[in-house]
Amino acid sequence: EVVARRAAINKKFKPLGFPTIAFPCDMTDDPLMEVMVTSIMVAKYAGIVILSDLQGDTLQFLMECDMEGGQATIDGQFQTDGETGTGNMDMSVNAGGMQMEMNMNWTAKRIGGC
């Protein structure tokens, strides 16, 4: 994963420049080790990380993406009861002197394990 992302960034090889998805939930059964593996993957360019379990009922996220000629900011949250969930996200993009705002709400239903 690191080699692919660095090739996209350093060598401008665009086919490898898309976010990658990582599954630390498949690498260990130990919850503490899963968190440690996740932190390494996020630090080494993982775009999406799938975990086996969430502790608590709310996940909040904030992402800022710098891009050529602009910036995007994404702020959101997700709440779950373990079987269903709801969430929302606000995104603000400033690119090429143009401003765009987007708001999204969603619902979710658990369909199975990792």
Side-chain angles (χ1 to χ4, degrees):
E1 184 168 334
V2 174
V3 172
R5 297 293 287 163
R6 281 191 180 157
I9 294 167
N10 295 335
K11 300 190 187 318
K12 308 291 187 219
F13 189 66
K14 293 189 184 224
L16 297 178
F18 297 98
T20 57
I21 185 167
F23 295 88
C25 60
D26 288 341
M27 296 178 180
T28 180
D29 292 327
D30 179 7
L32 182 58
M33 182 61 76
E34 186 176 333
V35 170
M36 290 173 45
V37 168
T38 300
S39 66
I40 292 168
M41 290 180 156
V42 168
K44 294 295 183 180
Y45 312 115
I48 302 166
V49 180
I50 305 299
L51 301 173
S52 62
D53 191 21
L54 292 176
Q55 299 296 322
D57 62 357
T58 302
L59 171 70
Q60 294 182 311
F61 55 92
L62 174 63
M63 298 182 288
E64 292 186 357
C65 305
D66 292 323
M67 57 190 140
E68 190 173 318
Q71 182 180 39
T73 303
I74 301 116
D75 184 14
Q77 71 170 0
F78 178 73
Q79 294 179 317
T80 181
D81 64 8
E83 294 298 319
T84 62
T86 59
N88 61 55
M89 177 183 80
D90 298 318
M91 180 167 58
S92 175
V93 178
N94 185 346
M98 296 173 46
Q99 182 73 24
M100 179 178 74
E101 302 288 331
M102 181 172 66
N103 307 93
M104 182 186 305
N105 296 305
W106 65 85
T107 60
K109 178 181 173 186
R110 180 177 169 81
I111 58 172
C114 181

